[in-house]
Amino acid sequence: MCRTFPHRSEQTKNSQSNISFDYRREIDEGVRKMDVKGRVALVTGAASGIGRSCAMQLLKEGAKVSICDIVPAEGKKLVESLATVYGKDRVIFCTCDVTDYSQFLDTFRKTAATFGEIDIVINNAGVMNDRFWELEIDMNVNGVIRGTLLAQQFMGTNRGAQGGIVVNIGSNVSMNPYISVPIYSATKAAIVSFTRAFGHQYHVDLTGVEVMALCPVADGKSISDVSKKLLCTQFQEAWRRDVEGSAAPSVELPKPILEAACKNAIVIGGSEGFGFTAADHLLCNGARNVVLLDEDAVEGQNAARKLCDAHGKNRLLFVHCDIRTACQFEAGLRQALCKLRVIHILFNDLDKERLPSSCSSSKKIERNFTAKTIRAGLKILGKNHGGSGGIIINCASIFGFMGWPEAPFPVYCRKEAAIEVTQDFADEHDIEETGVRLVALCPTDKQFCDIGLPDNPDEIPNRIRGKMPECIPKAKYHIGTALDYVLAWAQNGSAWLVEPAISAHQIPRLIHFPENEDEEIDPKVYETEVK
């Protein structure tokens, strides 16, 4: 099983605040994608319930754990039991009342002093009791805030530490409040808003600490004497309806078409920009190997060095080649295929500023990079050529669409017609024969509602030599969420708009095009889609 944990020096690159509703599935995904062996975790409210489960799972994966709880008897008993299995040097107990800042601070100090550092903080301690709502707010909201601020203090790169991860435990009522426990619902909603704010890349860049949330479904049956915890005894019937209404039906989720874990990828133009971010994200999500193809030897080697430092030297290879020169490009692909043996993902960053070609014969240079890479990609990925199948993603920033939304005509930041060429090749090549999906990914600096352009848009500002066009988004990290989504769900020939990230769970938007020249797209199609 391929598992990786972002290197401390690189944890700021692709972090986002993640909101999950399936506790068990998210824990499993986290375990699968993160190697926590040797890491140090501090878990509050860890003597029982979710906190206990988190602590035990971390220990199973090789972490060192500080079990923190307000009930010393239960906490110490648990530590004694776990120490016999995992060793006394890997688990300790700290008496911790999250409403008491000084005691909370001492817990962090003791954990850091015992294990040398802290890598993971899980703010799980909480209570549901609307009758004692002031204590409820202090534990559920203030406790999470205290824990997150202390985590940034002890793990923050701006404090000389190595960075880390904070997981705040919310609830399904964070999104859908129970009318029977309005104050408890408010505290859990506050956790999600707080997490989304501190999970923004702005704060991650400042501290190196990623902040995310898990929102498990509240189990009403496990709560004893619930009548004593409601604000009013008359709320018992409302509680029963809340619990019954929140019971999720047992459904089998569709299997993703493709995931990065244990897959091999080639990233063209990976020395910077979206290409570099895509390579970093793939490695973070468990890709076995990534090959960077770039014509800039200096920047390419620098990028490779950063990624090797972050993810391991055996998982990244840099190949120097000019994709515009047929002989160099084909040789570069053959070298990558020789290294990887099988390739599943080809990511083509068409926003990359290309250096002048070293080839003296202009006849050997194909100007349309999109078509060139698709042809080459189909040869190395296509099942009809002995490949395993997979996906080719053409990434080109977009200025907007003329004729929006009835008959959208894309206007790119650069000259590459990524959408049109991708769709043409998807129509020409039978996916049943090739096993390769062709997808266009179009980042933009505009929100979806502003993507339409007038019939005669202003010229794209690219007149100043060496200056990046203003329409290419400066922030690159949100391409990671879009990349995950298209790997898993995008259909062959589809084009996706990647808006500026305004929240952690934002996904790309599918762009609809008329199938025939005399047809138009009904704008209502976008109103019915999940935003």
Side-chain angles (χ1 to χ4, degrees), residues 20 70 95 189 327 359 528:
S20 170
I70 197 173
T95 302
C327 57
C359 181
T528 59

Side-chain angles (χ1 to χ4, degrees), residues 220-247:
K221 296 179 181 179
S222 65
I223 300 176
S224 60
D225 295 329
V226 67
S227 62
K228 297 179 180 180
K229 299 174 182 180
L230 303 177
L231 198 60
C232 176
T233 55
Q234 294 176 331
F235 291 177
Q236 290 187 67
E237 179 60 26
W239 168 260
R240 184 186 64 78
R241 292 198 302 268
D242 281 336
V243 172
E244 291 177 357
S246 68

